[in-house]
Amino acid sequence: MSSSLDSFEGTAALRRKVDLVRPLEQSVPPTKAAVDMPSGVFERSTWQRRYAATLAVSDFVVVSAAVLLSQYVRFGPTWTPPDYPQYYVPAYSALFIAGWLCVLAAFRSRSPRIIGTGVEEYRRVVSASLSTFGVIAIISLLLKLDIARGYLALALPVGAVGLVLTRWAWHRSIIRQRSKGRCRTAVLAFGELDAVEHLVSELTQNESDGYQVVGVAVPGYGPSRGEHVTIDGHVIPVVGDEAEMLRAIRTHGADTVAIAGTEHFGVRGIRRLIWDLEPMGVDLVVSTGVMDVALSRLVMRPTAGLPLLQIEGPQYRGSKKLQKRAFDLCFAFAVLVLTSPVLLAIAVAIKLDSRGSVFYTSERIGIDGRPFSMVKFRTMVADADRQLLSLLASNESDGVLFKMKEDPRITRVGSFLRRYSLDELPQFINVLLDDMSVVGPRPPLRREVESYDCDVLRRLLVKPGVTGLWQVSGRSDLSWNQAVRLDLSYVDNWSMIGDLLLIAKTVGAVAQKKGAY
């Protein structure tokens, strides 16, 4: 472990990956310097305790309001409804509220590990609420408790929705705080530079996640020499090797140590590191080395005394496939019926704006490579396809797609439809015809599929969707590699709850109009 950075500093591949500067003052002034941190960045325990206390109060208010509202709607403005013993109903409500709050605590819905993270926090809240009602239903049945079922049935949806909405509101508040440099998690990353580069890129990709990498430790580096690495515009000090980590935690104010590869520590070294970090109140996280795997597919499997991480296979076959199809049919039919006046108005506007048909059909490649005709409202001039060859030189995409922000073929009405994704409403007809799904990968063209490598072909294992991860993550602003990665992540991690969340996020993405052109 005594080798220095000079032993690998001359490697060309490494030089392309990270930029080592010595000293920092002699380099170009950084725009995102980890060494110049705003106040409050390292106060994780303070803001987390304050946030957890706020959640406890809001949970109490929401649960109490849901139960008391249900009691009022069912029994009226009285504490002693007729046909019930005196104070029977309010006592039941009090026990109901207390039980619900206890289950929320038992599910660790306010754990520092998940508060402010979004999806996992919402999942625990919903699971706790459903479990509460399952327990109450069983107890009421076994003890033959006399209580109106309508009272319970109303409290569940009102309370669960209220809890999720308040968590969402608090989460948005945390995101605003993080944009100002507060409520951050200060991370010290350890590993070989190429592995650390990838880890840092993932942690800092989304500012709303709240991660700030304050230092990098490299195996065999030795004591700190005042050097820095630049990763995705973030200038991060190299604090030394594993022997210097504990000192660097204190000097750089880190509250989390992230390890990209454990081979340099070994079993005893990791155990010793856990013991050293425990009295410091510092968390230890270890990268699994796998990408884009949803939490629901990761299962801790203790084998022969070792905590092994098992990755379960994707769930897009069998009964899950039938469940998704049933949801697609119901959702698509409801959307087409509810938006029928809008569809008619759009059709009239298209006919009045330019000559040509109302609809535009395009061949797309669906599940298992089967072609189908995708239906959209026409947003371009009638001969747009023939004009494409003359515009290829202006392609703004970095992949096989054609993208152009100021495409001259788009009509006035078409520009409005694209801005709010209204041109995609007829795709729900494709959903009814079983060509598409409500949520899925972006429907590709034949020429795109012909250029796919073996990895990208996994996109064709599921039906393309009207919306998906690509729709809520930037739409046309995404690079080709980003779009492919999102599609593959969806294929491997599909779940019904995930689809519902993506549909909800689509509404926000469309309202923001970001990446729509």
Side-chain angles (χ1 to χ4, degrees):
M1 295 293 183
S2 60
S3 60
S4 67
L5 186 66
D6 296 331
S7 61
F8 51 82
E9 202 173 16
T11 304
L14 185 60
R15 281 294 191 180
R16 289 193 297 268
K17 287 181 174 291
V18 291
D19 177 33
L20 288 172
V21 291
R22 185 208 304 260
L24 179 62
E25 298 84 47
Q26 298 175 3
S27 64
V28 179
T31 57
K32 301 176 183 176
V35 293
D36 185 16
M37 305 292 294
S39 60
V41 168
F42 308 126
E43 300 174 359
R44 183 190 65 157
S45 59
T46 302
W47 79 260
Q48 284 186 337
R49 285 197 299 268
R50 185 171 62 250
Y51 185 70
T54 303
L55 288 182
V57 173
S58 67
D59 288 351
F60 174 78
V61 171
V62 170
V63 170
S64 300
V67 174
L68 294 178
L69 175 64
S70 302
Q71 177 184 317
Y72 178 84
V73 171
R74 179 62 184 84
F75 302 109
T78 177
W79 291 108
T80 56
D83 303 327
Y84 287 94
Q86 188 176 19
Y87 300 122
Y88 178 88
V89 172
Y92 194 99
S93 296
L95 290 175
F96 190 179
I97 293 170
W100 199 341
L101 293 173
C102 288
V103 175
L104 284 170
F107 273 69
R108 297 180 60 82
S109 64
R110 295 185 292 271
S111 168
R113 306 293 179 267
I114 61 105
I115 57 175
T117 58
V119 176
E120 176 61 16
E121 189 176 356
Y122 306 150
R123 187 191 68 79
R124 293 195 187 188
V125 166
V126 173
S127 298
S129 299
L130 293 175
S131 298
T132 300
F133 280 80
V135 170
I136 288 177
I138 293 173
I139 293 176
S140 299
L141 180 63
L142 293 177
L143 301 182
K144 298 181 179 179
L145 299 178
D146 184 20
I147 196 71
R149 288 189 294 269
Y151 158 61
L152 299 176
L154 179 61
L156 171 61
V158 172
V161 171
L163 287 171
V164 171
L165 288 178
T166 53
R167 296 299 180 100
W168 175 84
W170 289 122
H171 188 209
R172 299 302 301 176
S173 175
I174 288 294
I175 291 176
R176 288 193 293 270
Q177 293 294 320
R178 285 171 173 170
S179 66
K180 300 176 183 178
R182 307 190 189 104
C183 301
R184 297 289 189 96
T185 298
V187 179
L188 178 67
F190 173 84
E192 298 289 355
L193 282 177
D194 54 350
V196 165
E197 180 202 16
H198 175 73
L199 179 63
V200 172
S201 296
E202 292 298 316
L203 289 176
T204 59
Q205 185 176 28
N206 190 349
E207 188 180 59
S208 64
D209 291 336
Y211 290 104
Q212 184 84 43
V213 181
V214 297
V216 169
V218 181
Y221 183 89
S224 175
R225 309 174 203 156
E227 294 183 330
H228 299 74
V229 293
T230 302
I231 303 175
D232 291 345
H234 298 265
V235 179
I236 307 170
V238 180
V239 300
D241 56 17
E242 54 270 39
E244 305 293 325
M245 285 176 57
L246 296 182
R247 184 185 300 108
I249 289 171
R250 298 184 181 92
T251 57
H252 290 80
D255 51 46
T256 299
V257 173
I259 299 179
T262 61
E263 60 274 10
H264 296 284
F265 283 99
V267 176
R268 292 185 178 180
I270 287 291
R271 182 170 57 187
R272 186 68 199 179
L273 180 60
I274 294 173
W275 292 346
D276 290 336
L277 296 179
E278 180 182 357
M280 301 172 66
V282 175
D283 293 335
L284 176 66
V285 296
V286 180
S287 173
T288 62
V290 296
M291 289 179 55
D292 301 322
V293 176
L295 185 63
S296 59
R297 291 178 58 203
L298 298 178
V299 179
M300 190 62 70
R301 181 178 177 180
T303 303
L306 294 176
L308 301 181
L309 194 63
Q310 178 177 339
I311 303 175
E312 296 183 343
Q315 305 177 13
Y316 43 77
R317 300 296 186 190
S319 60
K320 297 292 184 180
K321 182 179 180 180
L322 295 177
Q323 180 184 8
K324 184 175 177 67
R325 178 58 183 158
F327 172 80
D328 286 343
L329 286 173
C330 296
F331 190 88
F333 181 77
V335 169
L336 290 173
V337 171
L338 294 175
T339 62
S340 55
V342 177
L343 298 176
L344 181 60
I346 292 174
V348 172
I350 292 173
K351 291 298 291 185
L352 295 176
D353 182 55
S354 62
R355 64 179 183 84
S357 62
V358 170
F359 297 106
Y360 170 77
T361 59
S362 173
E363 184 192 57
R364 300 300 171 104
I365 305 300
I367 185 171
D368 297 329
R370 294 196 298 265
F372 69 95
S373 295
M374 187 182 72
V375 184
K376 298 177 66 174
F377 279 123
R378 181 174 59 83
T379 59
M380 292 186 174
V381 295
D383 60 344
D385 289 339
R386 290 194 294 272
Q387 298 182 27
L388 178 60
L389 290 176
S390 62
L391 296 173
L392 288 178
S394 302
N395 186 14
E396 299 174 8
S397 171
D398 60 350
V400 298
L401 296 176
F402 178 83
K403 298 178 184 178
M404 189 175 177
K405 288 186 178 181
E406 302 295 333
D407 196 322
R409 301 172 297 167
I410 299 177
T411 63
R412 289 174 299 176
V413 171
S415 178
F416 176 82
L417 297 180
R418 287 187 171 213
R419 188 176 302 119
Y420 295 99
S421 297
L422 295 175
D423 59 316
E424 298 174 3
L425 286 176
Q427 291 178 22
F428 287 105
I429 298 174
N430 289 114
V431 175
L432 295 179
L433 295 175
D434 202 21
D435 295 325
M436 297 179 65
S437 180
V438 175
V439 183
R442 187 188 56 77
L445 295 166
R446 181 180 293 273
R447 58 186 172 85
E448 297 175 38
V449 174
E450 290 173 349
S451 67
Y452 285 176
D453 57 26
C454 293
D455 291 341
V456 185
L457 282 173
R458 283 187 63 83
R459 296 172 74 185
L460 305 181
L461 290 177
V462 299
K463 285 180 285 190
V466 178
T467 187
L469 278 171
W470 49 275
Q471 180 78 300
V472 303
S473 304
R475 294 194 271 185
S476 294
D477 286 340
L478 293 172
S479 68
W480 168 252
N481 288 333
Q482 288 174 324
V484 168
R485 178 181 174 183
L486 290 174
D487 284 344
L488 294 180
S489 176
Y490 175 82
V491 172
D492 287 340
N493 300 306
W494 174 83
S495 69
M496 200 68 249
I497 294 179
D499 277 5
L500 295 176
L501 289 173
L502 283 173
I503 291 171
K505 289 182 178 180
T506 299
V507 177
V510 170
Q512 292 177 0
K513 300 176 288 186
K514 184 178 180 181
Y517 51 85

